[in-house]
Amino acid sequence: MILPETTPMKRLFGVLALLLALFPAPAFAAPLKVVATFSVLGDMVRQVGGDRIDLTVLVGPDGDAHTFEPSPADARLLASADLLFLNGLGFEPWLAKLAAASGTQARFVAASDGVEPLSMNEGGATVPDPHAWQDLANGAIYVRNIEAALASAAPADAKAFHENAAHLLRELADLDKWTRAEIAALPEPSRKIITTHNAFGYFGAAYGIAFLAPEGLSTDAEPSARTLARLIDQIKREHIRALFIENMSDPRFIRMISAETGASLGGKLYSDALSKPGGAAPTYQAMFRNNVPQLVAAMRQNR
Ligand code: ZN
């Protein structure tokens, strides 16, 4: 093939046109400003968005999203965001007010969109249970929603988002299989736990574990001797030695339960927030790798 004769200037324009065709404007654009409401969701967004997004998480590691109180800095952050990911299902009761105060133009995406919601009891009322991410199949729904929203906000990076999401989805499928195998190794009658955590409804439904509330125990205050006696009765009656009681710190009570029933308190479970980096559960996947062995070891004591 014989190329037509060109002047150096024409050739330069040709190269520029080619560059523009190869790298359309959005590829040069600043990374998408993304906000996620809490650490578990933020980690999923981080894994899908990778280095193509500028991510901030409102309620960080070890934080409680139920009772979060946003600051003026959070409103300023939201005002400059392109995209906000929330859990939905009533998990972020403070968000509507924050959004109004910030005047944000960000697109809001509920990561739980498409999840089959369970309900839970809260102060005597039946409300949607927001803790849907505790079922890994729901986690996969979150990841697909995140991928779709990021891709539509930054189409030039859609391929990267898709690859990251596909990688994460494979990991979640493996983790789901492992979780099922770990629990299947336990005799069926022993698959039950007494806990003050109310965040494991989806986990229990997905993986076949009964999570029972400790009778008479409130979730915020240290138990009294009388509620402790009720708890000991319940442990004996239900033949459950798997106990995850968050607020019991009095070592005398823990010794008493152990002496009366043979049960001991299980370790720390992560439900609504991740740990800090370097902790036991710094990612969504690490949360399951922390919780599942602790739950299984505790249920192994049931008889
Ligand atoms: Zn919760």
Side-chain angles (χ1 to χ4, degrees), residues 163-175:
E163 283 167 6
N164 294 344
H167 178 84
L168 178 52
L169 289 170
R170 275 193 299 276
E171 287 201 9
L172 299 190
D174 288 347
L175 204 51

Side-chain angles (χ1 to χ4, degrees), residues 64-66 91 120 122 129-131 133 198-199 271-272:
D64 185 350
H66 292 287
F91 190 57
M120 67 189 290
E122 200 178 74
D129 182 344
H131 309 90
W133 63 88
N198 63 356
S271 60
D272 288 20

Side-chain angles (χ1 to χ4, degrees), residues 108-197:
F108 279 36
V109 177
S112 68
D113 201 13
V115 160
E116 193 71 56
L118 299 178
S119 47
M120 67 189 290
N121 189 295
E122 200 178 74
T126 301
V127 297
D129 182 344
H131 309 90
W133 63 88
Q134 289 294 345
D135 172 351
L136 285 154
N138 289 339
I141 294 177
Y142 282 41
V143 170
R144 289 194 195 94
N145 287 335
I146 292 164
E147 185 208 332
L150 289 178
S152 100
D157 289 325
K159 190 165 170 285
F161 298 143
H162 181 70
E163 283 167 6
N164 294 344
H167 178 84
L168 178 52
L169 289 170
R170 275 193 299 276
E171 287 201 9
L172 299 190
D174 288 347
L175 204 51
D176 189 75
K177 215 178 285 173
W178 170 77
T179 300
R180 287 176 194 285
E182 289 293 302
I183 291 160
L186 294 165
E188 223 179 303
S190 67
R191 295 177 200 165
K192 45 192 183 178
I193 283 165
I194 294 177
T195 182
T196 48
H197 284 275

Side-chain angles (χ1 to χ4, degrees), residues 28-292:
F28 295 117
L32 209 56
K33 282 197 167 169
V34 182
V35 174
T37 52
F38 73 114
S39 56
V40 179
L41 177 58
D43 180 61
M44 293 185 200
V45 174
R46 179 190 61 77
Q47 294 192 53
V48 177
D51 55 11
R52 309 295 175 106
I53 61 168
D54 176 1
L55 173 69
T56 313
V57 175
L58 291 177
V59 186
D62 299 319
D64 185 350
H66 292 287
T67 58
F68 178 61
E69 288 177 18
S71 69
D74 295 321
R76 284 194 295 278
L77 182 74
L78 209 54
S80 65
D82 302 306
L83 195 54
L84 175 130
F85 289 102
L86 66 145
N87 182 73
L89 300 171
F91 190 57
E92 299 101 338
W94 39 267
L95 185 59
K97 207 171 143 194
L98 173 65
S102 73
T104 183
Q105 299 291 310
R107 185 182 160 212
F108 279 36
V109 177
S112 68
D113 201 13
V115 160
E116 193 71 56
L118 299 178
S119 47
M120 67 189 290
N121 189 295
E122 200 178 74
T126 301
V127 297
D129 182 344
H131 309 90
W133 63 88
Q134 289 294 345
D135 172 351
L136 285 154
N138 289 339
I141 294 177
Y142 282 41
V143 170
R144 289 194 195 94
N145 287 335
I146 292 164
E147 185 208 332
L150 289 178
S152 100
D157 289 325
K159 190 165 170 285
F161 298 143
H162 181 70
E163 283 167 6
N164 294 344
H167 178 84
L168 178 52
L169 289 170
R170 275 193 299 276
E171 287 201 9
L172 299 190
D174 288 347
L175 204 51
D176 189 75
K177 215 178 285 173
W178 170 77
T179 300
R180 287 176 194 285
E182 289 293 302
I183 291 160
L186 294 165
E188 223 179 303
S190 67
R191 295 177 200 165
K192 45 192 183 178
I193 283 165
I194 294 177
T195 182
T196 48
H197 284 275
N198 63 356
F200 289 99
Y202 289 89
F203 187 96
Y207 304 111
I209 297 172
F211 284 87
L212 309 179
E215 284 170 15
L217 222 63
S218 95
T219 51
D220 38 20
E222 180 87 12
S224 68
R226 198 158 57 101
T227 55
L228 190 67
R230 277 184 75 181
L231 175 62
I232 287 170
D233 277 350
Q234 185 187 14
I235 293 167
K236 288 179 176 168
R237 193 175 66 243
E238 310 258 17
H239 304 282
I240 300 180
R241 290 179 170 189
L243 297 183
F244 290 86
I245 312 281
E246 290 168 286
N247 53 315
M248 193 181 290
S249 52
D250 188 329
R252 292 171 306 161
F253 283 7
I254 296 164
R255 274 201 302 273
M256 200 187 299
I257 291 176
S258 173
E260 288 272 335
T261 67
S264 53
L265 285 190
K268 182 165 171 55
L269 300 177
Y270 287 84
S271 60
D272 288 20
L274 299 177
S275 70
K276 293 191 173 71
T283 66
Y284 178 53
Q285 296 97 306
M287 181 171 73
F288 281 82
R289 288 195 294 264
N290 172 78
N291 290 354
V292 171

